[in-house]
Amino acid sequence: SQTIHQWPATLVQPVGSPLSLECTVEGTSNPNLYWYRQAAGRGLQLLFYSVGIGQISSEVPQNLSASRPQDRQFILSSKKLLLSDSGFYLCAWSGDFPSSYEQYFGPGTRLTVT
Amino acid sequence: GDSVTQMEGPVTLSEEAFLTINCTYTATGYPSLFWYVQYPGEGLQLLLKATKADDKGSNKGFEATYRKETTSFHLEKGSVQVSDSAVYFCALSDPYNQGGKLIFGQGTELSVKP
């Protein structure tokens, strides 16, 4: 069966420091991968998605970036964190259209920027 | 563009009460519809789905019917439990127009009291 992992689970970082969050998927190949942010309240904002290695689409302009160095690895990065980057970051994967397009989410990373 | 609108929360119910969370959508294509649930501090879990008109998705006592004529996908449960307390998200995926990305509603918080 497929599983998705995220780490770290929680992170406290000062303003201006770098960031690297990692997401890996097991039990499937060539998944579509997604990064979401859930700020205070409950709304989900899609940040990036990837349909293959090295292919990244950005949904919103910001100081974050994403990379997909391997088929089942998705990394969210920042060179300098802002206070507004605080939130709950969720990684998700889905199969290839049209066979399966529901998304499955990881446990999330709680980021607090101080 | 495509959008999802959910009823405002929080919703507070007593145990064994009947639950309805309203969800309506706007889409130019033929979307698939989903309900996700998020328990405190966790990622999202797929609760149920429906891929075409008149389909009924069901899981763990929850049901939702894809109503194309009213563009709705309301979530129902006949008898809620304290363990159902969570945030519920309605979402759509319209592969032909959005590349399979999920469009989420704003979430509805459910609190069930014993």
Side-chain angles (χ1 to χ4, degrees):
Chain A
S1 63
Q2 301 88 0
T3 55
I4 178 168
H5 304 279
Q6 286 186 245
W7 62 89
T10 60
L11 191 59
V12 180
Q13 292 283 95
V15 169
S17 64
L19 172 74
S20 181
L21 303 181
E22 190 165 343
C23 170
T24 58
V25 180
E26 295 177 356
T28 187
S29 60
N30 196 31
N32 298 323
L33 297 171
Y34 308 83
W35 277 113
Y36 292 87
R37 177 169 59 203
Q38 191 175 28
R42 300 176 300 276
L44 285 149
Q45 180 185 37
L46 178 63
L47 302 175
F48 302 95
Y49 70 96
S50 171
V51 298
I53 295 174
Q55 301 179 60
I56 309 295
S57 296
S58 174
E59 289 294 297
V60 291
Q62 58 207 317
N63 70 318
L64 298 171
S65 62
S67 61
R68 185 170 177 174
Q70 300 180 41
D71 180 44
R72 290 169 288 178
Q73 184 185 31
F74 204 24
I75 296 172
L76 183 69
S77 303
S78 174
K79 292 182 179 178
K80 289 185 177 182
L81 283 168
L82 307 173
L83 284 174
S84 57
D85 292 324
S86 292
F88 192 45
Y89 288 82
L90 290 160
C91 182
W93 73 273
S94 71
D96 283 336
F97 168 78
S99 62
S100 175
Y101 32 79
E102 62 260 32
Q103 293 181 18
Y104 298 92
F105 286 78
T109 295
R110 176 78 58 191
L111 171 66
T112 303
V113 182
T114 60
Chain B
D2 295 356
S3 65
V4 175
T5 302
Q6 291 180 235
M7 65 185 288
E8 292 285 334
V11 174
T12 302
L13 296 173
S14 298
E15 206 164 23
E16 299 183 1
F18 184 86
L19 168 71
T20 300
I21 300 179
N22 290 338
C23 171
T24 57
Y25 68 90
T26 302
T28 53
Y30 300 91
S32 291
L33 302 173
F34 308 90
W35 277 101
Y36 283 84
V37 58
Q38 185 178 32
Y39 298 102
E42 298 183 7
L44 276 68
Q45 299 176 27
L46 177 64
L47 181 60
L48 54 83
K49 68 177 182 180
T51 57
K52 60 183 186 297
D54 299 325
D55 269 1
K56 177 185 283 189
S58 61
N59 186 26
K60 300 181 181 179
F62 291 90
E63 293 183 341
T65 301
Y66 189 148
R67 302 286 188 198
K68 193 170 188 296
E69 64 275 14
T70 55
T71 61
S72 65
F73 193 54
H74 305 320
L75 183 68
E76 297 181 335
K77 186 174 184 182
S79 177
V80 293
Q81 306 300 312
V82 173
S83 57
D84 294 326
S85 298
V87 180
Y88 292 82
F89 291 91
C90 185
L92 72 80
S93 176
D94 190 350
Y96 292 97
N97 291 331
Q98 298 286 344
K101 292 178 288 184
L102 281 176
I103 307 298
F104 284 94
Q106 69 271 34
T108 302
E109 182 177 1
L110 170 66
S111 177
V112 180
K113 306 297 184 185

